[in-house]
Amino acid sequence: MTQMTHEDVSALLRSYAEDGLGKDQRARVQDHLGSCAECRAELGVVTALMAAPARPMDDLERAALHQAVRTEIALAQAPRMQRWGRRLAPALGAAAILAVIAVGIVSLDRDAIQPGRQVEAPAGTTNDEQAEEQQLDDGEDGTTATSQAAADSAGGSGGGSAGTTSSGKAARNSGSVPAAGGALQGSQLDSELNRDRAGVTIVRRSFASARFDPGNLVAIAGDLAAGPSAESDAGSDTQALYATGRAGPWRATVARCIERTVSASPLELTATSATVYRHEDIVVITFVWVDDSRALNYEVRGWRNRDCDRPSPIYRRGRVP
Amino acid sequence: MDPETSDDQLLAAFLGGDQGAFDTLMRRHEDRIFGLALRMTGNRADALDATQDAFVAAFRKARTFKGTSAFSTWLYRIGINACHDLLRKKSKLVPTEEIDPGAMPDNMAEDVGLRMDLALALQDLNPDYRQAVLMHDLGGFPYEDIAVLTGVHVGTVKSRISRGRKKLAEMLEQRGAPAASNQTT
């Protein structure tokens, strides 16, 4: 049997380790290894590297990863607030649209600014743009489940804010202070508050402006099992779920998860939008909000078995300046 | 999702506007990238970060993929770079082992100590060697693919791999976790 050189053996080690060599080559490699400590050491490294990792991602980690990837991509494409009037092509459907909405909704309505709160206008926003964005019809089109804070007025002053729900039922009604540059002012403009059956406020929004497709303004309950188009498509079937109430118990679950998270968040999380993702028994929700420096932040949380009473850890988080 | 659709077809679909195709590609490769990241970083949190970074980067760079190597090779290298970038940002990734009841106790390579040592050793390895070793030994990519992707000769790839392994073996032995295998079969 001709001797193999170190180089020859080295080049075959991986195949050898996964038992992919023919009998003859295998024997020759073995023969070399028998008397070569260096090559045995190399083989040891190869074997260690090839060993399976401890535990692959579980379903929650996986779903959170998907959401985070989509969200990060979408947010990076969301316009800066000062350019928020510019049309934005949706990048990945739901997350992008909601992010745009998040930024758009955080528009400044100067009429609704509470006295004493300084609010700065987004640079470059003209009065015309503001006026146009103020045309928010209360139409039939989709609902966006958001945290109450998005619709809260300047809650800091405690009360009497326009647009606040009258019955203050949801825990997070009180004390949710808008985080984004004071821009989350409640106003008649950007919200009409509805109670859904679960007792959580769902903010209903629609836009008359041609810039936003009303068909996309829905809280997305994507279903992994249905395949990619259902997840990333912000459109018809998910809208139908909410419009017709076919979402049934899931809708209540989702609403509860959102409510509990926002009310319990030590950060005074004032999510302006939430993208919901469900598959079998897990729900993954991405919260998107704007911080004081107008960066877009997100957190991905998830629940199993509809157990929204258990606080969810934050699976993924990020910030897009 | 048609399991028969090739990576190249999915990529073309994605570049043509089909967002779902990207989701499919992600699902197809995420375990592999996560496995790579876990091997490199030694802990799940960083591995998930790196995996996320890798797919975001792949999304952004999709248009630059030339097709000279396989898509999976290209993606894998993006994964390695994502780990590398994470490394740099954190200056050093500290593998934190979790006690995992699912781990296979009988497999020596799954030994907690060795996994951590391996991650640390990989982090200390020359980047060129590391890339070659990870792509070939962990990722299973052929020499030719790695050569094309990294722009060097096949011979260079082979020698980088060999030297990288040797260096890793040295480092592992120094840490008291001998990687030298007594197996010859």
Side-chain angles (χ1 to χ4, degrees), chain A residues 16 30 51-52 72 298 316, chain B residues 30 39 44 49 52 110 184:
Chain A
Y16 177 82
Q30 256 174 259
E72 197 177 319
Y298 68 92
R316 317 275 337 131
Chain B
E30 62 194 8
R39 187 63 77 211
R44 292 186 87 76
D49 282 352
Q52 179 178 333
E110 284 302 299
T184 54

Side-chain angles (χ1 to χ4, degrees), chain A residues 54-104:
Chain A
R55 179 170 54 93
M57 292 183 281
D58 65 30
D59 51 0
L60 269 170
E61 284 172 319
R62 203 179 296 270
L65 175 74
H66 293 170
Q67 286 267 286
V69 169
R70 292 200 190 93
T71 302
E72 197 177 319
I73 290 167
L75 294 189
Q77 295 174 327
R80 299 289 303 164
M81 283 186 62
Q82 57 267 29
R83 301 191 299 272
W84 70 279
R86 188 178 67 191
R87 180 171 202 149
L88 212 232
L92 285 173
I97 296 299
L98 288 174
V100 170
I101 292 167
V103 175

Side-chain angles (χ1 to χ4, degrees), chain A residues 47-48 50-52, chain B residues 103-112 114-115:
Chain A
T47 311
M50 285 174 62
Chain B
M104 299 170 283
D106 296 338
N107 185 338
M108 194 270 280
E110 284 302 299
D111 173 67
V112 165
L114 176 60
R115 204 184 316 151

Side-chain angles (χ1 to χ4, degrees), chain A residues 105-175:
Chain A
I105 283 171
V106 179
S107 63
L108 297 180
D109 169 23
R110 295 181 191 248
D111 293 342
I113 293 170
Q114 297 294 315
R117 276 192 77 96
Q118 284 306 310
V119 175
E120 64 190 76
T125 303
T126 64
N127 286 336
D128 284 347
E129 279 180 309
Q130 282 186 331
E132 188 174 347
E133 294 310 318
Q134 286 173 11
Q135 297 166 18
L136 296 174
D137 290 339
D138 179 33
E140 297 305 314
D141 322 42
T143 57
T144 301
T146 72
S147 80
Q148 173 58 28
D152 272 348
S153 63
S157 54
S161 38
T164 309
T165 181
S166 50
S167 64
K169 179 186 168 191
R172 53 177 161 41
N173 274 355
S174 52

Side-chain angles (χ1 to χ4, degrees), chain A residues 41 45-46 49, chain B residues 117-125 129-130 133-134 137 161-175 177 179:
Chain A
V45 169
V46 173
L49 283 167
Chain B
D117 288 337
L118 188 55
L120 285 168
L122 278 166
Q123 291 173 25
D124 280 340
L125 190 63
Y129 295 178
R130 176 171 66 217
V133 167
L134 286 173
D137 289 343
I161 290 169
S162 184
R163 287 184 195 159
R165 287 171 184 164
K166 289 190 171 80
K167 195 76 186 111
L168 285 170
E170 265 176 45
M171 288 193 271
L172 288 170
E173 198 165 319
Q174 280 163 14
R175 289 179 213 267

Side-chain angles (χ1 to χ4, degrees), chain A residues 20-307:
Chain A
L21 293 181
K23 249 178 42 179
D24 183 49
Q25 267 191 330
R26 181 176 184 76
R28 291 166 70 201
V29 169
Q30 256 174 259
D31 184 57
H32 179 99
L33 288 172
S35 53
C36 179
E38 256 194 13
C39 286
R40 281 202 300 275
E42 272 198 48
L43 179 63
V45 169
V46 173
T47 311
L49 283 167
M50 285 174 62
R55 179 170 54 93
M57 292 183 281
D58 65 30
D59 51 0
L60 269 170
E61 284 172 319
R62 203 179 296 270
L65 175 74
H66 293 170
Q67 286 267 286
V69 169
R70 292 200 190 93
T71 302
E72 197 177 319
I73 290 167
L75 294 189
Q77 295 174 327
R80 299 289 303 164
M81 283 186 62
Q82 57 267 29
R83 301 191 299 272
W84 70 279
R86 188 178 67 191
R87 180 171 202 149
L88 212 232
L92 285 173
I97 296 299
L98 288 174
V100 170
I101 292 167
V103 175
I105 283 171
V106 179
S107 63
L108 297 180
D109 169 23
R110 295 181 191 248
D111 293 342
I113 293 170
Q114 297 294 315
R117 276 192 77 96
Q118 284 306 310
V119 175
E120 64 190 76
T125 303
T126 64
N127 286 336
D128 284 347
E129 279 180 309
Q130 282 186 331
E132 188 174 347
E133 294 310 318
Q134 286 173 11
Q135 297 166 18
L136 296 174
D137 290 339
D138 179 33
E140 297 305 314
D141 322 42
T143 57
T144 301
T146 72
S147 80
Q148 173 58 28
D152 272 348
S153 63
S157 54
S161 38
T164 309
T165 181
S166 50
S167 64
K169 179 186 168 191
R172 53 177 161 41
N173 274 355
S174 52
S176 291
V177 177
L184 290 173
Q185 309 295 333
S187 70
Q188 294 92 340
L189 296 181
D190 64 342
S191 68
E192 184 207 76
L193 307 178
N194 288 300
R195 288 264 164 234
D196 87 329
R197 284 165 221 91
V200 171
T201 300
I202 304 289
V203 180
R204 174 186 286 268
R205 287 187 174 79
S206 64
F207 292 84
S209 164
R211 285 198 271 254
F212 298 95
D213 179 2
N216 286 330
L217 303 182
V218 290
I220 308 302
D223 189 342
L224 273 176
S229 61
E231 297 155 22
S232 54
D233 184 0
S236 52
D237 43 333
T238 50
Q239 182 181 10
L241 273 176
Y242 276 78
T244 64
R246 277 195 279 126
W250 275 106
R251 187 179 188 195
T253 297
V254 163
R256 196 161 59 247
C257 289
I258 293 174
E259 178 192 32
R260 295 211 190 275
T261 300
V262 173
S263 65
S265 170
L267 295 176
E268 291 198 46
L269 185 66
T270 54
T272 57
S273 71
T275 308
V276 176
Y277 206 81
R278 73 171 174 88
H279 174 58
E280 291 176 6
D281 71 338
I282 68 171
V283 172
V284 175
I285 302 180
T286 305
F287 296 88
V288 177
W289 74 98
V290 183
D291 65 23
D292 287 339
S293 36
R294 305 231 169 108
L296 293 166
N297 293 261
Y298 68 92
E299 278 180 6
V300 183
R301 297 171 184 250
W303 292 263
R304 201 184 290 284
N305 298 324
R306 308 185 183 186
D307 184 8

